[in-house]
Amino acid sequence: MRPEISLAALAATERASSLRAAQSGERRVWFNDGWYATPIYGRDRVPLDAVFQGPAILEQLDCTTVVEPGDRVRQDTLGNLLISVA
């Protein structure tokens, strides 16, 4: 049996001071209605209180999350992304 993992410990990574500081770049991405200049964020750097609108791409070691234009993202205190689809 594996020991339990503390989700609070996983959320304790060093976060950026702002969403802009968590941005690692930008690229053009095609969505249903055309090309968008899309910010790229390091998921583990996004501030825990961040709220933002897509388009966006969040990259992490084991996953990439694509946020469609107009979708709203809120991150909870454990780092879970809560995405409201437009």
Side-chain angles (χ1 to χ4, degrees):
M1 180 179 260
R2 292 184 176 174
E4 286 189 34
I5 296 173
S6 166
L7 294 179
L10 291 176
T13 59
E14 185 175 334
R15 301 288 176 163
S17 59
S18 67
L19 189 59
R20 176 64 122 180
Q23 188 173 340
S24 61
E26 182 178 283
R27 69 176 72 118
R28 286 178 33 137
V29 178
W30 177 265
F31 291 96
N32 285 337
D33 59 345
W35 292 100
Y36 285 79
T38 304
I40 312 300
Y41 300 107
R43 170 117 189 291
D44 60 343
R45 303 258 309 131
V46 173
L48 289 178
D49 61 350
V51 176
F52 58 96
Q53 296 254 145
I57 294 177
L58 294 104
E59 298 178 329
Q60 65 187 64
L61 181 62
D62 60 344
C63 179
T64 299
T65 303
V66 178
V67 181
E68 298 273 342
D71 291 354
R72 183 177 178 271
V73 179
R74 181 176 64 84
Q75 190 163 224
D76 70 12
T77 57
L78 291 177
N80 297 301
L81 297 174
L82 307 171
I83 302 173
S84 299
V85 177

